[in-house]
Amino acid sequence: MATLTQSHGVEFTRIYSYGAARGDLVVPNSALIGPIDSSDEWIQQRTGIITRTRASAGVLAIDLATDAAKEAIEKSGVPAADIDLVIVATIGNVQQTPSMAAVLADRVGSNPAAAYDSNAACAGFSYGVTQADALIRAGAAHYALVVGAEKLSDIVDPTDRSISFLLGDGAGAVVIGPSEFPGIAAPVWGSDGSKADAVGMNGTLVDFRDGTVPWPTLHQDGQVVFRWAVWEMAKVAKRALEVAGITASDLAAFVPHQANMRIIDELAKQLTLPENVVIGRDIATTGNTSAASIPLATHRLLAEHPELSGGLCLQIGFGAGLVFGAQVVALP
């Protein structure tokens, strides 16, 4: 009987670089309060959001992904042609097929890279990093481009008080490749589908086609999501530190999904982070960009705090599904 040859890759991987693209429009709270009968003060107190970035009508999520990816590739020093894996985390691809990733690979010059979209909502970037790390170490890829890209303004009802004021548009990208040291720790990831109705689309395309529901949009049960994020995700974050073999005092930065400033602050409190740990709070001016929020927030932290380079960062994503993913990474 013939013996198969299985692939073997490198021992370690790391993130080489981050790229970012935000929507071209800055939308203040005052522009959104009319349809939800609210106020700028209420939104800031409840979420910490002052403004959010949204993309103009002619700008698609793939356009934001392209800009973010090009920056990450340029900063990484890896030729685009050497990237043989492209993963796009998104819930906002306006076409069921082709995948956004396949189009992106062609746009940035990475044909014929393996390319696919991943739908893990706000945990999507974490899932993409985990997959890229595993595939490179398994020898199935050499260099990977992982992008979180969303244009959530296309899939939200402006009258929906539960979520409409939270959302923004943007894309964040990283290039991942071989490393001489461990740069991406093992993940703590999973889901709780029993609470899937707490946040997600309020109908299907088949329902819409048949005329039984209006155009499906994002909706959430804010209290259920808040409690789950605060109490359950604190446990996930602590486990991510444990599996990485470090403690909170070893961190340089903490970047949770940018869902709500109160959630971010409560998670930081429960982790008892030292004062020197820099916390990503990009939500104040970008809003909640789902799969794009972690790379966008990390990109901003690195721009504002270059001394973080080489430090360890705990990243945790959580959202619709209810899906979650967390890991510690070395900052480029």
Side-chain angles (χ1 to χ4, degrees):
M1 179 178 177
T3 302
L4 292 176
T5 299
Q6 288 194 282
S7 62
H8 300 280
V10 297
E11 185 175 7
F12 304 126
T13 68
R14 63 181 174 90
I15 294 173
Y16 289 11
S17 58
Y18 284 79
R22 290 173 171 81
D24 55 310
L25 305 175
V26 176
V27 182
N29 292 335
S30 58
L32 305 177
I33 59 179
I36 60 173
D37 189 25
S38 186
S39 68
D40 173 65
E41 181 182 19
W42 184 85
I43 293 175
Q44 289 200 44
Q45 287 180 346
R46 299 281 293 183
T47 70
I49 298 175
I50 303 169
T51 62
R52 75 281 297 139
T53 57
R54 289 187 172 176
S56 297
V59 180
L60 300 176
I62 182 62
D63 299 320
L64 297 168
T66 302
D67 290 344
K70 286 181 176 179
E71 180 190 353
I73 293 170
E74 181 180 356
K75 288 164 61 177
S76 73
V78 176
D82 289 350
I83 293 173
D84 50 2
L85 173 64
V86 177
I87 303 172
V88 173
T90 185
I91 60 171
N93 190 354
V94 293
Q95 292 180 294
Q96 295 296 299
T97 190
S99 70
M100 196 183 299
V103 176
L104 179 62
D106 180 59
R107 284 191 177 190
V108 300
S110 296
N111 269 341
Y116 61 92
D117 292 353
S118 173
N119 181 346
C122 308
F125 177 75
S126 173
Y127 272 45
V129 169
T130 294
Q131 292 171 69
D133 163 58
L135 289 167
I136 292 171
R137 289 189 294 110
H142 298 89
Y143 296 96
L145 172 67
V146 177
V147 183
E150 307 285 16
K151 189 181 180 185
L152 300 178
S153 58
D154 280 344
I155 54 174
V156 65
D157 177 356
T159 68
D160 187 339
R161 189 180 175 88
S162 77
I163 202 168
S164 63
F165 55 90
L166 290 170
L167 305 179
D169 303 334
V174 294
V175 172
I176 297 174
S179 174
E180 295 180 352
F181 59 88
I184 300 173
V188 175
W189 56 343
S191 64
D192 181 3
S194 70
K195 296 184 179 68
D197 291 340
V199 54
M201 304 302 286
N202 59 3
T204 70
L205 292 177
V206 173
D207 294 334
F208 174 72
R209 180 199 64 191
D210 294 344
T212 58
V213 299
W215 178 250
T217 56
L218 276 173
H219 181 78
Q220 72 170 350
D221 183 330
Q223 288 301 314
V224 171
V225 174
F226 184 88
R227 288 193 296 268
W228 174 76
V230 167
W231 301 114
E232 296 304 319
M233 292 307 99
K235 299 174 187 175
V236 170
K238 290 175 182 178
R239 280 174 28 221
L241 293 176
E242 292 174 4
V243 300
I246 67 169
T247 66
S249 62
D250 296 312
L251 293 173
F254 173 51
V255 181
H257 165 51
Q258 304 293 290
N260 181 305
M261 194 72 79
R262 291 192 298 155
I263 293 174
I264 294 170
D265 291 340
E266 184 60 33
L267 288 175
K269 178 181 177 181
Q270 291 197 45
L271 289 170
T272 60
L273 296 177
E275 291 186 2
N276 63 296
V277 175
V278 182
I279 300 172
R281 291 189 171 92
D282 191 45
I283 189 173
T285 54
T286 301
N288 178 344
T289 54
S290 190
S293 78
I294 290 176
L296 282 175
T298 308
H299 180 275
R300 173 160 282 170
L301 279 193
L302 289 170
E304 295 177 348
H305 301 275
E307 72 276 8
L308 293 176
S309 179
L312 298 179
C313 177
L314 171 59
Q315 300 179 338
I316 176 170
F318 47 87
L322 296 168
V323 179
F324 59 87
Q327 67 259 100
V328 177
V329 302
L331 295 171

